[in-house]
Amino acid sequence: MMSITEYARPCKTIKNARFGLVQSGCDKDKVMANTKGSYDLWGKSGGDTIKRDVSARSADAYQSHNDERNQTAPDVEERGQWGSKAEFVLSCIGLSVGLGNVWRFPYLAYKNGGAAFLIAYLVLQLLIGKPMYFMELVMGQFSGKGPTGVWEMNPSAKGIGIAMVIISLDVAIYYNVIMAYTLFYFFSSMQAVLPWTKCKEEWIALGCVEQRRKAPPFCTLNATINEMMSECACTKNETIDSLLTVNCTNLTYTGLPKSSAEFFFNEEVIQRSAGLEPENMGAPLWKLSLCLLLSWIVVVLCLIKGVKSSGKVVYFTATFPYIVLLILLVRGALLDGAIDGVKFFIIPEWSKLLDIEVWVAAAGQMFFSLSVSFGGILMFGSYNKFNNNVYGDALLISVMDLVTSIIAGFVIFTTFGGMAKTIGANVTDVAEAGYGLAFVAYPEALSNFPLPQLWSVIFFFMLFTLGLDSEFGLMETVLTCIQDEFPHLRKYKSWLCVGLGAGCYFLALPCVCPGGDYVVTLMNDFGADFSVLVVACFECIAVMWVYGVMRFMKDIEFMLGSKPHVWPYWVFCWAVASPFLIGAMFIYRMVKFTPPTYPNKMAYPVFAQILGWVLAAVVIIPIPAWFFYILLKTPGSLTERFRKIFNPTPKWGPADRAESYRVSPKDYPMKGNVNPGFSQ
């Protein structure tokens, strides 16, 4: 198939006008357009010869139309591009592969049936994750615009881009708090005795043990049974204990013992209070505040020049974690009992596949991990070269995300298997949920390694670099959207980055108060985890149902030169599977909604839940608000308004070869339906 450039050779230039073609040096009133062997945007490639009469009026109308699209202020800086393909791929991997791959994926897999969860995760990746990842990369690369500017393709849906920016800002604020935890542990590891291996005096009465172990069974009045047990606990009944013929162990706590690592995290690092109430929130903790400040300084310095600076940093931050994970995997696999942890991780409970909670958990992890509908993927794609093979990139990056999650799972559970064997407990007794896996259970496991200080420093530095890549993507999404909406600010990008970083630091200070852990939970559950399903569903509908799935496919063909392999699969996922499955999961989450709870299982107070719903509303409301704003602002009858706001604006088009793109469907009759109700 001939290229567009080759097709244009008979004349000096060629402009695909809205109502025809204009060729300089040709008869402007009667233009013969021979498309044989050329790329036909609205029909098939090659094979047909189309002849049309194009009036001067049509040509002039298009010239005005095209000028409107391409006009830029003389003092506006260019957006810039990646320095190399490697920078783009590593940045995308860094965005998708984050802290959640280390603590969230392994625990969810263990909790939800091991390999059964993995199967659910794979199915949802094929039906939602990979298609949406590919879709967002295409949107960004084709248009060269960020999450807000890309909606020139469907002006009514710009609120979706605004919602993406708010989600990214919300996650960027609390995500850096978790990175501050890693820095706290990083510096705490540089001590002769690791601080989470020793119980403070005040912790002992609360049940602190320096080595996690099973609580011994209570002694009985049967002397033979007592002697058969290597250790038994006092019953705390003076009458029974006085009759015992063996020495009983006097437990200073009730219930299960807690490790010194758990006390260190809750009482020393975050100093968790009793609740979210004003009297329990407290003031920012100075150690965590300094760690948070350092984390924001590192992020800002790496982003000060935009993708030109962050693209260089990812060569280290995106590759270093893999080196550490592989080293820890080998170390964990050599531990006695490692196979017990692996069994907990991969042996499937097939009945779990029938539990919808498993599928919802897998979907939540997929969105959290791939960062779909957060805006970062779209933003990274917008800095690509126009003809970059984004199809292969999308497949590679999504596969790397899955592989990393699985590797992290083996790293975590081989280590836990070894620890469980050492202390004579089950893997279930050492596994923790959420933060606990990264900041309680694994630090405790590291303390059993030779040279524990060295391993701890390496592990927590790896966690920080994992989080750093994701933070780059979140912050760059916000910065890109601001600069796309206000291009004259691009020349102040460094100051803009510093200002945004400073603002986010102060907004994050409530998260490093004694009650800050509960604030982080609110920001995650309502501002990201719940809201992203709404944004993703509307995103699919706005692109594939309104803009048109086949029109979108034609854009891919224009950009890459051919349709993606197995293109009916992509069409099915984009237009049917993704929107319906995401919508179903959102409805299920609404029906089965339970408010977040404190560690004692009590629900958050009503005022805190209201704050959470307000945050969710701040994320979601821009979608309908922008729709009604643009509908009311657009002149004409109601039908004309809908037609205008559902059709691309004059500014929509490819980031490159734009003069070869704008051909009207009236000139090239389309085979099939692409939004016939809204065709111009």
Side-chain angles (χ1 to χ4, degrees):
M1 182 178 69
M2 293 173 60
S3 67
I4 294 175
T5 305
E6 291 170 333
Y7 165 56
R9 282 176 184 168
C11 300
K12 294 180 181 178
T13 61
I14 176 171
K15 297 181 179 179
N16 290 354
R18 187 176 183 182
F19 301 105
L21 301 178
V22 178
Q23 297 175 328
S24 62
C26 305
D27 185 356
K28 196 174 184 180
D29 294 326
K30 301 283 184 179
V31 177
M32 184 74 71
N34 185 355
T35 62
K36 186 175 183 180
S38 68
Y39 178 83
D40 176 356
L41 179 62
W42 297 97
K44 295 182 178 180
S45 296
D48 296 323
T49 301
I50 302 175
K51 301 179 180 180
R52 296 178 308 281
D53 291 341
V54 181
S55 66
R57 179 180 178 184
S58 299
D60 293 340
Y62 171 69
Q63 186 61 51
S64 174
H65 177 89
N66 201 42
D67 290 345
E68 180 182 352
R69 179 184 183 274
N70 295 323
Q71 61 184 355
T72 56
D75 59 341
V76 173
E77 291 188 9
E78 294 292 330
R79 291 180 86 250
Q81 289 185 332
W82 296 106
S84 67
K85 185 181 180 70
E87 291 181 10
F88 162 69
V89 172
L90 289 175
S91 294
C92 287
I93 291 175
L95 173 64
S96 298
V97 177
L99 295 173
N101 296 78
V102 174
W103 80 58
R104 205 166 185 262
F105 183 91
Y107 181 78
L108 286 175
Y110 147 73
K111 181 182 177 183
N112 292 283
F117 173 84
L118 187 59
I119 292 171
Y121 187 81
L122 284 170
V123 170
L124 290 176
Q125 266 225 0
L126 289 173
L127 295 177
I128 301 175
K130 290 180 183 293
M132 289 199 65
Y133 200 101
F134 182 35
M135 179 188 78
E136 291 193 357
L137 281 180
V138 167
M139 290 167 64
Q141 181 171 306
F142 180 82
S143 64
K145 299 178 184 294
T148 53
V150 75
W151 294 105
E152 300 290 350
M153 69 190 303
N154 178 2
S156 66
K158 189 174 181 177
I160 297 172
I162 298 172
M164 288 179 174
V165 176
I166 299 174
I167 290 177
S168 291
L169 184 61
D170 169 75
V171 176
I173 291 171
Y174 79 74
Y175 203 81
N176 227 345
V177 173
I178 302 172
M179 290 169 61
Y181 297 166
T182 67
L183 287 177
F184 192 107
Y185 274 86
F186 175 75
F187 292 118
S188 297
S189 301
M190 301 176 185
Q191 300 183 34
V193 178
L194 294 176
W196 56 83
T197 61
K198 297 295 180 182
C199 289
K200 289 187 176 181
E201 192 69 31
E202 61 268 25
W203 298 349
I204 296 177
L206 300 175
C208 178
V209 293
E210 294 183 355
Q211 183 69 47
R212 193 195 304 249
R213 63 189 179 94
K214 279 185 173 180
F218 288 109
C219 298
T220 70
L221 291 176
N222 189 317
T224 303
I225 295 177
N226 290 340
E227 290 176 0
M228 291 175 62
M229 294 186 294
S230 59
E231 180 186 18
C232 63
C234 300
T235 63
K236 297 189 178 180
N237 183 313
E238 294 182 1
T239 303
I240 296 177
D241 290 345
S242 64
L243 297 175
L244 296 176
T245 58
V246 296
N247 292 326
C248 63
T249 302
N250 185 23
L251 301 180
T252 58
Y253 52 85
T254 57
L256 294 174
K258 294 181 180 180
S259 68
S260 54
E262 185 173 351
F263 273 96
F264 178 75
F265 179 67
N266 290 325
E267 305 295 333
E268 187 75 17
V269 181
I270 64 174
Q271 299 182 27
R272 180 183 281 139
S273 65
L276 266 169
E277 296 77 10
E279 62 271 18
N280 292 323
M281 273 298 295
L285 304 171
W286 70 271
K287 291 182 181 179
L288 269 185
S289 297
L290 289 178
C291 290
L292 180 65
L293 179 62
L294 176 59
S295 182
W296 274 112
I297 289 174
V298 172
V299 170
V300 169
L301 289 177
C302 292
L303 289 177
I304 198 96
K305 296 296 184 181
V307 294
K308 291 182 179 178
S309 55
S310 66
K312 302 297 185 293
V313 177
V314 295
Y315 280 107
F316 173 76
T317 57
T319 55
F320 175 74
Y322 286 97
I323 298 174
V324 177
L325 282 174
L326 290 175
I327 294 173
L328 292 175
L329 177 60
V330 173
R331 179 68 183 87
L334 295 176
L335 295 174
D336 184 26
I339 189 64
D340 297 328
V342 173
K343 288 178 180 179
F344 268 88
F345 180 50
I346 66 172
I347 292 180
E349 296 178 36
W350 297 110
S351 60
K352 289 281 190 178
L353 283 175
L354 301 177
D355 186 356
I356 195 170
E357 288 287 352
V358 174
W359 293 85
V360 172
Q365 173 60 21
M366 181 196 65
F367 278 102
F368 187 87
S369 183
L370 284 177
S371 299
V372 171
S373 297
F374 281 65
I377 303 167
L378 207 154
M379 176 273 301
F380 279 156
S382 71
Y383 291 106
N384 261 340
K385 294 180 179 178
F386 184 73
N387 60 351
N388 174 62
N389 181 17
V390 70
Y391 176 71
D393 295 341
L395 297 181
L396 171 65
I397 295 163
S398 56
V399 168
M400 286 298 298
D401 173 77
L402 177 62
V403 169
T404 306
S405 296
I406 295 174
I407 292 174
F410 281 113
V411 168
I412 295 295
F413 280 97
T414 53
T415 305
F416 285 173
M419 184 167 68
K421 184 81 170 182
T422 301
I423 66 178
N426 295 321
V427 177
T428 52
D429 297 324
V430 299
E432 296 280 349
Y435 298 153
L437 199 149
F439 298 115
V440 176
Y442 207 78
E444 184 180 351
L446 290 172
S447 65
N448 296 319
F449 283 18
L451 298 175
Q453 291 84 354
L454 174 63
W455 287 108
S456 297
V457 166
I458 293 174
F459 177 74
F460 288 110
F461 184 66
M462 177 202 71
L463 285 186
F464 181 73
T465 57
L466 274 175
L468 203 59
D469 290 331
S470 299
E471 190 70 17
F472 289 165
L474 295 167
M475 287 293 290
E476 191 64 50
T477 298
V478 180
L479 290 167
T480 295
C481 290
I482 293 174
Q483 293 171 53
D484 280 354
E485 294 301 307
F486 308 99
H488 61 279
L489 293 179
R490 287 177 188 159
K491 57 184 176 182
Y492 306 112
K493 65 177 65 174
S494 297
W495 290 107
L496 189 63
C497 182
V498 172
L500 182 62
C504 288
Y505 171 74
F506 287 108
L507 288 174
L509 285 178
C511 297
V512 293
C513 295
D517 184 53
Y518 309 122
V519 178
V520 170
T521 300
L522 279 179
M523 296 178 72
N524 175 69
D525 289 0
F526 290 93
D529 189 37
F530 174 80
S531 303
V532 74
L533 290 176
V534 182
V535 175
C537 187
F538 277 106
E539 182 184 10
C540 280
I541 293 171
V543 177
M544 298 304 164
W545 293 6
V546 180
Y547 181 74
V549 64
M550 293 310 297
R551 178 188 287 181
F552 189 78
M553 187 61 69
K554 286 294 179 181
D555 288 346
I556 297 175
E557 190 175 357
F558 178 82
M559 181 171 65
L560 301 182
S562 63
K563 290 185 176 72
H565 300 299
V566 202
W567 65 266
Y569 154 75
W570 298 103
V571 169
F572 168 76
C573 292
W574 287 330
V576 181
S578 294
F580 280 104
L581 288 175
I582 296 170
M585 284 185 289
F586 170 71
I587 294 172
Y588 179 84
R589 290 286 298 274
M590 289 290 291
V591 172
K592 294 290 186 179
F593 173 78
T594 55
T597 58
Y598 291 136
N600 61 7
K601 305 304 179 183
M602 288 184 60
Y604 278 20
V606 175
F607 84 89
Q609 295 182 45
I610 292 174
L611 287 176
W613 285 112
V614 168
L615 177 59
V618 169
V619 174
I620 297 171
I621 282 179
I623 299 175
W626 180 268
F627 175 82
F628 287 111
Y629 165 75
I630 199 71
L631 181 65
L632 295 174
K633 179 183 176 183
T634 303
S637 65
L638 188 61
T639 303
E640 291 172 342
R641 291 181 183 186
F642 277 117
R643 182 177 291 115
K644 288 178 181 178
I645 68 173
F646 286 152
N647 271 291
T649 71
K651 294 183 180 180
W652 172 251
D656 191 19
R657 307 204 314 263
E659 70 281 358
S660 305
Y661 174 76
R662 293 195 172 279
V663 181
S664 170
K666 289 184 178 180
D667 297 315
Y668 289 104
M670 190 77 172
K671 294 184 179 179
N673 294 322
V674 180
N675 301 329
F678 300 109
S679 296
Q680 289 185 345

